[in-house]
């Protein structure tokens, strides 16, 4: 059963209520980004949003429910980013540039607010509904990667479906660690180097001599 402690208390119907809920979530994102999980209290969030704590509790039972909402929205944005990159016209000719589509989509989805992303995916609770959503999003990315790799004659790995899963998992994990844990002053300057090295690493894996089975 869904955990009621991690679900919103009510879905707003009127425009004013929708706007209030969005302001609360936007304030929560700022507070968690600036103060972290432990210090990101509901009192601090309500104050940042310009609402009373009672108003906040009309919509969310606690800060964890707000984190789940923010994490779900972030995951949806990630899916949309990948789809936008893949639907942006004809696919690139080279395997390197095809892989770069996935790498760049992951970087774009992480770079806006690394501090918030770190809280969302290292400290926020993950109820079953969110885990199922994240799993479905990953499977969608793996299927897209598998289709691209299968159609590329340069790919030499024997098990393309497994290779697609490894590529998607490696990109998500390595991009998260790079963006979320890099020193703020060097993050943007190093992003291009990181992207190039990750694309090169994955291309070498996909096009290298096939290993023993």
């Amino acid at each position: 059963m869904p955990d009621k402690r991690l679900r919103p208390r009510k879905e707003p119907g009127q425009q004013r209520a929708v706007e209030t809920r969005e302001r609360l979530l936007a304030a929560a994102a700022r507070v968690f980004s600036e103060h972290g999980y432990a210090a990101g209290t509901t009192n601090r969030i309500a104050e940042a949003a310009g609402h009373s704590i009672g108003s906040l509790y009309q919509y969310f039972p606690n800060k964890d429910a707000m984190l789940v909402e923010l994490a779900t929205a972030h995951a949806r944005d990630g899916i949309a980013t990948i789809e936008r990159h893949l639907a942006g016209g004809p696919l690139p000719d080279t395997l390197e540039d095809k892989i770069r589509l996935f790498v760049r989509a992951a970087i774009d989805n992480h770079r806006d607010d690394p501090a918030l992303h770190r809280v969302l995916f290292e400290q926020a609770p993950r109820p079953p509904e969110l885990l199922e959503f994240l799993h479905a999003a990953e499977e969608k990315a793996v299927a897209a990667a598998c289709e691209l790799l299968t159609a590329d004659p340069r790919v030499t790995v024997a098990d393309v479906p497994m290779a697609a899963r490894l590529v998607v998992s490696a990109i998500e994990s390595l991009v998260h660690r790079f963006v979320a844990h890099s020193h703020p002053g060097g993050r943007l300057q190093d992003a291009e180097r990181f992207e190039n090295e990750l694309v090169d690493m994955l291309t070498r894996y996909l096009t290298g001599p096939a290993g023993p089975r």
Side-chain angles (χ1 to χ4, degrees):
M1 291 182 62
D3 190 340
K4 292 183 179 180
R5 296 169 302 172
L6 301 178
R7 295 175 65 86
R9 279 199 163 131
K10 71 175 183 179
E11 291 294 333
Q14 298 182 348
Q15 183 61 30
R16 182 177 178 181
V18 171
E19 292 171 356
T20 297
R21 186 176 186 275
E22 291 304 310
R23 278 197 301 272
L24 288 166
L25 285 173
R30 294 195 305 273
V31 168
F32 287 128
S33 177
E34 294 173 9
H35 301 283
Y37 176 80
T41 63
T42 50
N43 282 322
R44 190 167 254 160
I45 293 169
E47 181 180 357
H51 290 284
S52 68
I53 189 66
S55 179
L56 184 150
Y57 285 137
Q58 287 181 12
Y59 295 91
F60 301 98
N62 49 54
K63 70 178 184 179
D64 285 344
M66 304 186 85
L67 276 168
V68 169
E69 286 288 300
L70 290 171
T72 302
H74 180 86
R76 287 199 187 101
D77 289 343
I79 295 171
T81 300
I82 291 176
E83 291 176 341
R84 186 168 62 250
H85 279 266
L86 292 176
L91 291 176
D93 293 330
T94 67
L95 178 62
E96 291 91 337
D97 287 340
K98 291 173 185 175
I99 296 172
R100 195 177 298 277
L101 285 177
F102 286 86
V103 173
R104 191 161 291 172
I107 292 175
D108 288 347
N109 192 41
H110 285 66
R111 79 164 83 216
D112 287 345
D113 195 337
L116 174 62
H117 188 274
R118 188 162 57 246
V119 173
L120 292 180
F121 288 93
E122 295 181 9
Q123 297 177 293
R126 294 195 177 189
E129 301 95 320
L130 178 57
L131 288 174
E132 290 176 9
F133 182 82
L134 294 174
H135 176 71
E138 181 179 3
E139 291 301 310
K140 194 171 185 178
V142 169
C146 187
E147 183 177 351
L148 288 179
L149 297 180
T150 300
D152 196 298
R154 286 188 59 195
V155 173
T156 59
V157 290
D159 190 341
V160 174
M162 181 57 70
R165 187 169 300 279
L166 288 172
V167 166
V168 169
S169 297
I171 291 172
E172 175 61 26
S173 176
L174 293 173
V175 168
H176 169 77
R177 290 183 64 82
F178 172 76
V179 178
H181 299 281
S182 294
H183 186 276
R187 188 184 303 116
L188 293 179
Q189 293 89 329
D190 291 342
E192 184 176 354
R193 288 172 51 211
F194 170 81
E195 178 183 309
N196 290 335
E197 290 298 320
L198 181 53
V199 169
D200 183 60
M201 181 186 78
L202 293 174
T203 301
R204 288 172 184 269
Y205 157 63
L206 292 168
T207 61
R213 296 298 303 274

